[in-house]
């Protein structure tokens, strides 16, 4: 199943605003068994966490 970019963007930006401890439950609810969507968001979160100072703008600014 293809993952819709708009949905990925929406969820990614939403979880970035949350404390890391809140993200799992939110993604459980929002992804509702869509494993491809969940993996995409988690991969983006991991990349973001490992980006260090590479990104000088906020993720939401970069995606606009």
């Amino acid at each position: 199943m293809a993952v819709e970019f708009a949905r990925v963007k929406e969820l990614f930006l939403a979880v970035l605003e949350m404390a890391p401890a809140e993200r799992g439950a939110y993604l459980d609810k929002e992804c509702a068994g869509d494993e491809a969507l969940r993996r995409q968001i988690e991969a983006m979160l991991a990349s973001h966490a490992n980006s260090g100072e590479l990104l000088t703008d906020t993720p939401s600014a970069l995606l606009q």
Side-chain angles (χ1 to χ4, degrees):
M1 176 187 285
V3 177
E4 183 183 339
F5 178 74
R7 182 73 173 140
V8 170
K9 178 181 173 182
E10 172 190 359
L11 291 176
F12 178 66
L13 294 177
V15 295
L16 285 180
E17 300 297 321
M18 297 176 184
E22 298 172 347
R23 293 174 178 172
Y26 177 78
L27 289 175
D28 286 345
K29 178 183 168 212
E30 293 300 319
C31 294
D34 185 341
E35 291 303 316
L37 177 60
R38 177 76 179 246
R39 281 192 306 272
Q40 180 67 42
I41 300 299
E42 289 177 345
M44 291 172 70
L45 288 170
S47 292
H48 181 298
N50 293 324
S51 68
E53 295 299 317
L54 178 64
L55 301 176
T56 57
D57 290 328
T58 64
S60 57
L62 292 171
L63 291 171
Q64 292 180 8

Short mmCIF file of all heavy atoms in Angstrom, two decimals:
data_model
loop_
_atom_site.label_atom_id
_atom_site.label_comp_id
_atom_site.label_asym_id
_atom_site.label_seq_id
_atom_site.Cartn_x
_atom_site.Cartn_y
_atom_site.Cartn_z
N MET A 1 0.84 -1.18 0.00
CA MET A 1 0.00 0.00 0.00
C MET A 1 0.88 1.24 0.00
O MET A 1 1.83 1.35 0.76
CB MET A 1 -0.91 -0.01 1.23
CG MET A 1 -1.75 1.24 1.36
SD MET A 1 -2.69 1.36 2.89
CE MET A 1 -3.97 0.18 2.56
N ALA A 2 0.60 2.19 -0.86
CA ALA A 2 1.36 3.44 -0.94
C ALA A 2 1.00 4.35 0.24
O ALA A 2 -0.14 4.38 0.69
CB ALA A 2 1.05 4.14 -2.25
N VAL A 3 2.01 5.04 0.70
CA VAL A 3 1.81 5.98 1.80
C VAL A 3 1.60 7.37 1.19
O VAL A 3 2.39 7.83 0.38
CB VAL A 3 3.04 5.97 2.74
CG1 VAL A 3 2.87 6.99 3.83
CG2 VAL A 3 3.25 4.59 3.33
N GLU A 4 0.53 8.02 1.60
CA GLU A 4 0.19 9.35 1.08
C GLU A 4 1.07 10.41 1.73
O GLU A 4 1.12 10.54 2.96
CB GLU A 4 -1.28 9.64 1.37
CG GLU A 4 -1.75 10.95 0.83
CD GLU A 4 -3.19 11.24 1.20
OE1 GLU A 4 -3.94 10.31 1.53
OE2 GLU A 4 -3.54 12.42 1.18
N PHE A 5 1.78 11.18 0.91
CA PHE A 5 2.71 12.18 1.41
C PHE A 5 2.05 13.19 2.35
O PHE A 5 2.62 13.55 3.37
CB PHE A 5 3.40 12.91 0.26
CG PHE A 5 4.33 13.99 0.75
CD1 PHE A 5 5.55 13.66 1.32
CD2 PHE A 5 3.98 15.33 0.68
CE1 PHE A 5 6.41 14.65 1.80
CE2 PHE A 5 4.82 16.32 1.15
CZ PHE A 5 6.04 15.98 1.71
N ALA A 6 0.88 13.65 2.02
CA ALA A 6 0.20 14.66 2.85
C ALA A 6 -0.05 14.10 4.25
O ALA A 6 0.11 14.81 5.25
CB ALA A 6 -1.10 15.10 2.21
N ARG A 7 -0.43 12.84 4.33
CA ARG A 7 -0.69 12.22 5.64
C ARG A 7 0.61 12.05 6.41
O ARG A 7 0.67 12.28 7.62
CB ARG A 7 -1.38 10.87 5.44
CG ARG A 7 -1.73 10.16 6.71
CD ARG A 7 -2.89 10.84 7.41
NE ARG A 7 -3.29 10.01 8.53
CZ ARG A 7 -3.64 10.49 9.70
NH1 ARG A 7 -3.71 11.78 9.90
NH2 ARG A 7 -3.97 9.69 10.68
N VAL A 8 1.66 11.63 5.73
CA VAL A 8 2.98 11.48 6.36
C VAL A 8 3.42 12.82 6.93
O VAL A 8 3.85 12.92 8.08
CB VAL A 8 4.02 10.94 5.36
CG1 VAL A 8 5.43 11.01 5.94
CG2 VAL A 8 3.68 9.52 4.96
N LYS A 9 3.32 13.86 6.13
CA LYS A 9 3.71 15.21 6.56
C LYS A 9 2.91 15.65 7.78
O LYS A 9 3.47 16.15 8.76
CB LYS A 9 3.51 16.19 5.41
CG LYS A 9 3.85 17.61 5.76
CD LYS A 9 3.60 18.53 4.57
CE LYS A 9 3.76 19.98 4.95
NZ LYS A 9 3.48 20.88 3.82
N GLU A 10 1.61 15.45 7.72
CA GLU A 10 0.73 15.83 8.83
C GLU A 10 1.14 15.14 10.13
O GLU A 10 1.28 15.78 11.18
CB GLU A 10 -0.70 15.47 8.46
CG GLU A 10 -1.70 15.63 9.59
CD GLU A 10 -3.06 15.02 9.25
OE1 GLU A 10 -3.26 14.50 8.14
OE2 GLU A 10 -3.93 15.08 10.14
N LEU A 11 1.34 13.84 10.06
CA LEU A 11 1.69 13.08 11.27
C LEU A 11 3.09 13.42 11.75
O LEU A 11 3.32 13.55 12.96
CB LEU A 11 1.56 11.58 11.01
CG LEU A 11 0.14 11.07 10.83
CD1 LEU A 11 0.16 9.59 10.48
CD2 LEU A 11 -0.70 11.32 12.06
N PHE A 12 4.02 13.55 10.83
CA PHE A 12 5.40 13.86 11.21
C PHE A 12 5.47 15.20 11.96
O PHE A 12 6.07 15.29 13.02
CB PHE A 12 6.29 13.89 9.97
CG PHE A 12 7.71 14.27 10.26
CD1 PHE A 12 8.53 13.44 11.01
CD2 PHE A 12 8.24 15.44 9.76
CE1 PHE A 12 9.84 13.78 11.28
CE2 PHE A 12 9.55 15.80 10.01
CZ PHE A 12 10.36 14.97 10.77
N LEU A 13 4.82 16.20 11.42
CA LEU A 13 4.83 17.51 12.08
C LEU A 13 4.12 17.46 13.43
O LEU A 13 4.55 18.11 14.38
CB LEU A 13 4.20 18.56 11.17
CG LEU A 13 4.97 18.86 9.88
CD1 LEU A 13 4.21 19.86 9.03
CD2 LEU A 13 6.37 19.36 10.19
N ALA A 14 3.08 16.67 13.53
CA ALA A 14 2.35 16.55 14.80
C ALA A 14 3.22 15.88 15.86
O ALA A 14 3.29 16.36 17.00
CB ALA A 14 1.07 15.76 14.60
N VAL A 15 3.91 14.80 15.51
CA VAL A 15 4.71 14.10 16.52
C VAL A 15 5.94 14.90 16.93
O VAL A 15 6.41 14.76 18.05
CB VAL A 15 5.10 12.67 16.10
CG1 VAL A 15 3.90 11.79 15.98
CG2 VAL A 15 5.93 12.64 14.86
N LEU A 16 6.44 15.74 16.05
CA LEU A 16 7.58 16.58 16.44
C LEU A 16 7.22 17.55 17.56
O LEU A 16 8.09 17.94 18.33
CB LEU A 16 8.09 17.37 15.23
CG LEU A 16 8.90 16.58 14.22
CD1 LEU A 16 9.33 17.51 13.10
CD2 LEU A 16 10.10 15.91 14.85
N GLU A 17 5.97 17.91 17.64
CA GLU A 17 5.52 18.84 18.68
C GLU A 17 5.29 18.14 20.02
O GLU A 17 5.09 18.80 21.03
CB GLU A 17 4.23 19.53 18.24
CG GLU A 17 4.36 20.33 16.96
CD GLU A 17 5.35 21.48 17.07
OE1 GLU A 17 5.37 22.14 18.13
OE2 GLU A 17 6.08 21.72 16.11
N MET A 18 5.33 16.82 20.02
CA MET A 18 5.04 16.04 21.23
C MET A 18 6.32 15.62 21.95
O MET A 18 7.38 15.53 21.33
CB MET A 18 4.31 14.74 20.86
CG MET A 18 2.99 14.95 20.24
SD MET A 18 2.32 13.35 19.74
CE MET A 18 0.85 13.93 18.93
N ALA A 19 6.16 15.35 23.23
CA ALA A 19 7.26 14.75 23.97
C ALA A 19 7.47 13.33 23.44
O ALA A 19 6.50 12.66 23.06
CB ALA A 19 6.91 14.70 25.46
N PRO A 20 8.71 12.88 23.37
CA PRO A 20 8.97 11.53 22.85
C PRO A 20 8.14 10.43 23.53
O PRO A 20 7.72 9.48 22.86
CB PRO A 20 10.47 11.34 23.11
CG PRO A 20 11.02 12.72 23.02
CD PRO A 20 9.95 13.59 23.66
N ALA A 21 7.85 10.57 24.80
CA ALA A 21 7.07 9.56 25.51
C ALA A 21 5.62 9.48 25.04
O ALA A 21 4.97 8.45 25.21
CB ALA A 21 7.11 9.83 27.01
N GLU A 22 5.12 10.52 24.42
CA GLU A 22 3.73 10.56 23.95
C GLU A 22 3.57 10.05 22.52
O GLU A 22 2.46 9.75 22.08
CB GLU A 22 3.20 12.00 23.99
CG GLU A 22 3.18 12.61 25.37
CD GLU A 22 2.84 14.08 25.33
OE1 GLU A 22 2.86 14.70 24.25
OE2 GLU A 22 2.55 14.63 26.41
N ARG A 23 4.65 9.96 21.79
CA ARG A 23 4.58 9.66 20.36
C ARG A 23 4.05 8.27 20.03
O ARG A 23 3.28 8.11 19.08
CB ARG A 23 5.95 9.85 19.73
CG ARG A 23 6.39 11.29 19.74
CD ARG A 23 7.79 11.45 19.24
NE ARG A 23 8.17 12.85 19.21
CZ ARG A 23 9.39 13.28 18.97
NH1 ARG A 23 10.36 12.42 18.71
NH2 ARG A 23 9.64 14.57 18.97
N GLY A 24 4.45 7.28 20.78
CA GLY A 24 4.05 5.90 20.49
C GLY A 24 2.54 5.71 20.53
O GLY A 24 1.96 5.14 19.59
N ALA A 25 1.91 6.18 21.57
CA ALA A 25 0.46 6.03 21.69
C ALA A 25 -0.27 6.81 20.60
O ALA A 25 -1.25 6.32 20.04
CB ALA A 25 -0.01 6.51 23.07
N TYR A 26 0.24 7.98 20.27
CA TYR A 26 -0.37 8.78 19.21
C TYR A 26 -0.27 8.06 17.87
O TYR A 26 -1.25 7.97 17.13
CB TYR A 26 0.31 10.15 19.14
CG TYR A 26 -0.21 11.03 18.03
CD1 TYR A 26 -1.41 11.71 18.17
CD2 TYR A 26 0.50 11.17 16.84
CE1 TYR A 26 -1.89 12.52 17.15
CE2 TYR A 26 0.03 11.98 15.82
CZ TYR A 26 -1.17 12.64 15.98
OH TYR A 26 -1.65 13.43 14.96
N LEU A 27 0.90 7.52 17.57
CA LEU A 27 1.08 6.81 16.31
C LEU A 27 0.27 5.51 16.27
O LEU A 27 -0.23 5.13 15.22
CB LEU A 27 2.55 6.54 16.04
CG LEU A 27 3.37 7.78 15.68
CD1 LEU A 27 4.85 7.44 15.56
CD2 LEU A 27 2.86 8.43 14.41
N ASP A 28 0.14 4.84 17.42
CA ASP A 28 -0.72 3.65 17.48
C ASP A 28 -2.13 4.01 17.01
O ASP A 28 -2.73 3.30 16.20
CB ASP A 28 -0.81 3.10 18.91
CG ASP A 28 0.45 2.39 19.36
OD1 ASP A 28 1.30 2.05 18.50
OD2 ASP A 28 0.59 2.18 20.58
N LYS A 29 -2.63 5.10 17.52
CA LYS A 29 -3.99 5.54 17.20
C LYS A 29 -4.10 6.02 15.75
O LYS A 29 -4.99 5.60 15.00
CB LYS A 29 -4.41 6.66 18.14
CG LYS A 29 -5.77 7.22 17.87
CD LYS A 29 -6.08 8.38 18.80
CE LYS A 29 -7.32 9.10 18.30
NZ LYS A 29 -7.30 10.51 18.58
N GLU A 30 -3.20 6.89 15.35
CA GLU A 30 -3.30 7.52 14.03
C GLU A 30 -2.95 6.59 12.87
O GLU A 30 -3.52 6.72 11.80
CB GLU A 30 -2.43 8.78 13.98
CG GLU A 30 -2.89 9.89 14.88
CD GLU A 30 -4.29 10.38 14.55
OE1 GLU A 30 -4.63 10.52 13.37
OE2 GLU A 30 -5.06 10.63 15.50
N CYS A 31 -2.04 5.68 13.10
CA CYS A 31 -1.65 4.76 12.02
C CYS A 31 -2.60 3.56 11.96
O CYS A 31 -2.71 2.93 10.90
CB CYS A 31 -0.22 4.29 12.21
SG CYS A 31 0.98 5.63 12.00
N ALA A 32 -3.26 3.26 13.05
CA ALA A 32 -4.31 2.22 13.11
C ALA A 32 -3.99 0.98 12.28
O ALA A 32 -4.77 0.58 11.43
CB ALA A 32 -5.65 2.81 12.70
N GLY A 33 -2.83 0.40 12.51
CA GLY A 33 -2.48 -0.84 11.82
C GLY A 33 -1.83 -0.65 10.47
O GLY A 33 -1.46 -1.63 9.82
N ASP A 34 -1.66 0.56 9.99
CA ASP A 34 -1.00 0.83 8.71
C ASP A 34 0.51 0.82 8.97
O ASP A 34 1.11 1.84 9.28
CB ASP A 34 -1.47 2.16 8.13
CG ASP A 34 -0.92 2.45 6.75
OD1 ASP A 34 0.09 1.82 6.35
OD2 ASP A 34 -1.48 3.33 6.07
N GLU A 35 1.11 -0.35 8.84
CA GLU A 35 2.52 -0.52 9.18
C GLU A 35 3.44 0.29 8.27
O GLU A 35 4.48 0.78 8.72
CB GLU A 35 2.90 -2.00 9.15
CG GLU A 35 2.25 -2.79 10.27
CD GLU A 35 2.59 -2.25 11.66
OE1 GLU A 35 3.78 -1.92 11.91
OE2 GLU A 35 1.68 -2.14 12.49
N ALA A 36 3.11 0.45 7.00
CA ALA A 36 3.94 1.24 6.09
C ALA A 36 3.98 2.70 6.54
O ALA A 36 5.04 3.32 6.54
CB ALA A 36 3.42 1.12 4.66
N LEU A 37 2.84 3.22 6.92
CA LEU A 37 2.76 4.59 7.40
C LEU A 37 3.58 4.75 8.68
O LEU A 37 4.37 5.68 8.82
CB LEU A 37 1.31 4.99 7.63
CG LEU A 37 1.05 6.37 8.22
CD1 LEU A 37 1.61 7.46 7.32
CD2 LEU A 37 -0.45 6.58 8.44
N ARG A 38 3.40 3.82 9.59
CA ARG A 38 4.12 3.87 10.87
C ARG A 38 5.62 3.81 10.65
O ARG A 38 6.38 4.59 11.24
CB ARG A 38 3.64 2.72 11.76
CG ARG A 38 4.34 2.59 13.10
CD ARG A 38 3.83 3.65 14.06
NE ARG A 38 4.45 3.55 15.35
CZ ARG A 38 3.81 3.22 16.46
NH1 ARG A 38 2.53 2.93 16.44
NH2 ARG A 38 4.44 3.19 17.61
N ARG A 39 6.09 2.91 9.79
CA ARG A 39 7.52 2.80 9.51
C ARG A 39 8.07 4.08 8.89
O ARG A 39 9.17 4.51 9.21
CB ARG A 39 7.80 1.61 8.58
CG ARG A 39 7.79 0.27 9.30
CD ARG A 39 8.35 -0.84 8.42
NE ARG A 39 7.69 -0.94 7.12
CZ ARG A 39 6.60 -1.64 6.86
NH1 ARG A 39 6.03 -2.33 7.84
NH2 ARG A 39 6.08 -1.69 5.66
N GLN A 40 7.30 4.69 8.00
CA GLN A 40 7.74 5.93 7.36
C GLN A 40 7.92 7.04 8.39
O GLN A 40 8.94 7.73 8.39
CB GLN A 40 6.74 6.38 6.29
CG GLN A 40 7.12 7.64 5.57
CD GLN A 40 8.35 7.48 4.71
OE1 GLN A 40 8.50 6.48 4.02
NE2 GLN A 40 9.24 8.45 4.74
N ILE A 41 6.94 7.20 9.26
CA ILE A 41 7.03 8.24 10.30
C ILE A 41 8.21 7.96 11.23
O ILE A 41 8.98 8.87 11.56
CB ILE A 41 5.72 8.33 11.12
CG1 ILE A 41 4.53 8.68 10.22
CG2 ILE A 41 5.85 9.35 12.26
CD1 ILE A 41 4.63 10.00 9.51
N GLU A 42 8.37 6.72 11.65
CA GLU A 42 9.46 6.38 12.57
C GLU A 42 10.82 6.58 11.90
O GLU A 42 11.77 7.03 12.55
CB GLU A 42 9.29 4.96 13.08
CG GLU A 42 8.13 4.87 14.06
CD GLU A 42 7.87 3.46 14.57
OE1 GLU A 42 8.37 2.49 13.96
OE2 GLU A 42 7.13 3.35 15.56
N ALA A 43 10.93 6.28 10.62
CA ALA A 43 12.19 6.52 9.90
C ALA A 43 12.50 8.01 9.82
O ALA A 43 13.66 8.43 9.99
CB ALA A 43 12.11 5.92 8.50
N MET A 44 11.48 8.80 9.58
CA MET A 44 11.68 10.25 9.53
C MET A 44 12.07 10.80 10.89
O MET A 44 12.94 11.68 10.99
CB MET A 44 10.42 10.94 9.01
CG MET A 44 10.15 10.65 7.55
SD MET A 44 8.54 11.25 6.99
CE MET A 44 8.81 13.02 7.01
N LEU A 45 11.47 10.29 11.95
CA LEU A 45 11.82 10.72 13.30
C LEU A 45 13.27 10.36 13.63
O LEU A 45 13.99 11.15 14.23
CB LEU A 45 10.87 10.11 14.33
CG LEU A 45 9.46 10.68 14.35
CD1 LEU A 45 8.55 9.82 15.22
CD2 LEU A 45 9.47 12.11 14.83
N ALA A 46 13.69 9.16 13.24
CA ALA A 46 15.06 8.74 13.48
C ALA A 46 16.04 9.62 12.72
O ALA A 46 17.07 10.05 13.26
CB ALA A 46 15.24 7.27 13.10
N SER A 47 15.74 9.91 11.47
CA SER A 47 16.60 10.79 10.67
C SER A 47 16.68 12.18 11.28
O SER A 47 17.74 12.79 11.35
CB SER A 47 16.08 10.89 9.24
OG SER A 47 16.23 9.67 8.58
N HIS A 48 15.54 12.66 11.73
CA HIS A 48 15.50 13.98 12.35
C HIS A 48 16.34 14.00 13.63
O HIS A 48 17.11 14.93 13.85
CB HIS A 48 14.06 14.36 12.66
CG HIS A 48 13.91 15.71 13.27
ND1 HIS A 48 14.44 16.07 14.47
CD2 HIS A 48 13.27 16.82 12.83
CE1 HIS A 48 14.16 17.31 14.77
NE2 HIS A 48 13.45 17.79 13.78
N ALA A 49 16.22 12.96 14.43
CA ALA A 49 16.96 12.90 15.69
C ALA A 49 18.47 12.82 15.44
O ALA A 49 19.26 13.34 16.23
CB ALA A 49 16.51 11.69 16.49
N ASN A 50 18.87 12.22 14.33
CA ASN A 50 20.29 12.06 14.01
C ASN A 50 20.84 13.19 13.17
O ASN A 50 22.01 13.17 12.80
CB ASN A 50 20.51 10.73 13.29
CG ASN A 50 20.25 9.56 14.19
OD1 ASN A 50 20.53 9.60 15.38
ND2 ASN A 50 19.69 8.50 13.64
N SER A 51 20.03 14.18 12.84
CA SER A 51 20.47 15.25 11.94
C SER A 51 21.39 16.26 12.61
O SER A 51 22.09 16.99 11.93
CB SER A 51 19.26 15.97 11.34
OG SER A 51 18.56 16.69 12.34
N GLY A 52 21.38 16.30 13.93
CA GLY A 52 22.24 17.23 14.64
C GLY A 52 21.98 18.66 14.24
O GLY A 52 20.84 19.09 14.12
N GLU A 53 23.02 19.37 13.97
CA GLU A 53 22.92 20.79 13.60
C GLU A 53 22.79 20.98 12.10
O GLU A 53 22.82 22.10 11.61
CB GLU A 53 24.13 21.55 14.12
CG GLU A 53 24.21 21.61 15.63
CD GLU A 53 23.01 22.32 16.25
OE1 GLU A 53 22.59 23.37 15.73
OE2 GLU A 53 22.50 21.82 17.25
N LEU A 54 22.62 19.91 11.36
CA LEU A 54 22.51 20.01 9.92
C LEU A 54 21.30 20.85 9.51
O LEU A 54 21.38 21.65 8.58
CB LEU A 54 22.40 18.61 9.32
CG LEU A 54 22.22 18.53 7.81
CD1 LEU A 54 23.45 19.08 7.10
CD2 LEU A 54 21.98 17.09 7.38
N LEU A 55 20.20 20.71 10.22
CA LEU A 55 18.99 21.46 9.91
C LEU A 55 18.93 22.71 10.77
O LEU A 55 18.75 22.63 11.98
CB LEU A 55 17.75 20.59 10.14
CG LEU A 55 17.66 19.30 9.34
CD1 LEU A 55 16.43 18.51 9.74
CD2 LEU A 55 17.65 19.59 7.85
N THR A 56 19.07 23.85 10.15
CA THR A 56 19.04 25.09 10.91
C THR A 56 17.64 25.64 11.06
O THR A 56 17.37 26.43 11.96
CB THR A 56 19.94 26.16 10.25
OG1 THR A 56 19.50 26.35 8.91
CG2 THR A 56 21.40 25.72 10.27
N ASP A 57 16.71 25.24 10.17
CA ASP A 57 15.32 25.65 10.27
C ASP A 57 14.51 24.55 10.92
O ASP A 57 14.94 23.39 10.95
CB ASP A 57 14.75 25.92 8.88
CG ASP A 57 15.34 27.16 8.23
OD1 ASP A 57 15.68 28.10 8.96
OD2 ASP A 57 15.46 27.17 6.99
N THR A 58 13.34 24.90 11.41
CA THR A 58 12.46 23.89 11.97
C THR A 58 11.96 22.99 10.85
O THR A 58 11.88 23.41 9.69
CB THR A 58 11.25 24.53 12.67
OG1 THR A 58 10.49 25.22 11.68
CG2 THR A 58 11.66 25.46 13.79
N PRO A 59 11.63 21.73 11.16
CA PRO A 59 11.11 20.83 10.13
C PRO A 59 9.87 21.38 9.43
O PRO A 59 9.74 21.25 8.21
CB PRO A 59 10.79 19.56 10.90
CG PRO A 59 11.69 19.61 12.07
CD PRO A 59 11.81 21.06 12.43
N SER A 60 8.99 22.02 10.17
CA SER A 60 7.79 22.56 9.53
C SER A 60 8.14 23.66 8.54
O SER A 60 7.52 23.78 7.49
CB SER A 60 6.78 23.04 10.57
OG SER A 60 7.37 24.00 11.41
N ALA A 61 9.15 24.45 8.81
CA ALA A 61 9.58 25.49 7.89
C ALA A 61 10.17 24.88 6.62
O ALA A 61 9.98 25.38 5.52
CB ALA A 61 10.58 26.43 8.55
N LEU A 62 10.88 23.78 6.77
CA LEU A 62 11.50 23.12 5.63
C LEU A 62 10.46 22.47 4.72
O LEU A 62 10.67 22.37 3.51
CB LEU A 62 12.48 22.05 6.09
CG LEU A 62 13.73 22.56 6.79
CD1 LEU A 62 14.52 21.40 7.38
CD2 LEU A 62 14.61 23.35 5.83
N LEU A 63 9.34 22.04 5.27
CA LEU A 63 8.33 21.35 4.50
C LEU A 63 7.32 22.29 3.87
O LEU A 63 6.44 21.86 3.13
CB LEU A 63 7.59 20.32 5.37
CG LEU A 63 8.45 19.12 5.77
CD1 LEU A 63 7.71 18.28 6.80
CD2 LEU A 63 8.83 18.30 4.57
N GLN A 64 7.42 23.55 4.12
CA GLN A 64 6.46 24.51 3.55
C GLN A 64 6.87 24.97 2.19
O GLN A 64 7.93 24.96 1.75
CB GLN A 64 6.28 25.71 4.47
CG GLN A 64 5.60 25.31 5.73
CD GLN A 64 5.40 26.48 6.68
OE1 GLN A 64 5.67 27.63 6.34
NE2 GLN A 64 4.94 26.20 7.86
#
